[in-house]
Amino acid sequence: MSVDRLLELLADRRRRHVLRTLADEPGETMTIRELRQSLCRDSDLSERQLQQELHHRHLPALSEVGLITVDDDVVRYRSDHRAERLLATIDAIT
């Protein structure tokens, strides 16, 4: 994955939330429902809107580059040192 692509993906706060949330979970896995509920706590969007965004935008984009895998309704984080360093940098400046 190119640095440009990684920056593009992590520019979206919801994608950053998904990756951070998964990384903090034991086994680095959650159901899509759990992820959606986690996003709802920090969003002004409805749960239905977030469901659509997860399914049609965020999960496919993260899966396409190998940062996550989605199997049925379970999402698993696939650790990437460059993504983690970039997330830490973003956290430090926000």
Side-chain angles (χ1 to χ4, degrees), residues 67-81:
L67 288 173
I68 64 167
T69 58
V70 181
D71 185 24
D72 292 324
D73 71 333
V74 176
V75 182
R76 180 180 306 276
Y77 177 59
R78 296 187 52 179
S79 182
D80 180 279
H81 72 280

Side-chain angles (χ1 to χ4, degrees), residues 18-48:
V18 166
L19 294 178
R20 285 186 194 110
T21 301
L22 287 168
D24 289 343
E25 281 297 305
E28 299 181 330
T29 62
M30 292 180 85
T31 66
I32 293 173
R33 180 175 184 250
E34 291 168 329
L35 274 174
R36 185 180 65 243
Q37 290 172 338
S38 175
L39 282 166
C40 277
R41 288 190 283 270
D42 299 322
S43 178
D44 56 345
L45 297 178
S46 71
E47 199 166 331
R48 182 174 184 208

Side-chain angles (χ1 to χ4, degrees), residues 51-65:
Q51 176 75 12
Q52 290 176 339
E53 279 198 7
L54 276 174
H55 275 286
H56 297 291
R57 289 184 55 211
H58 304 307
L59 297 182
L62 294 170
S63 179
E64 178 183 300
V65 297

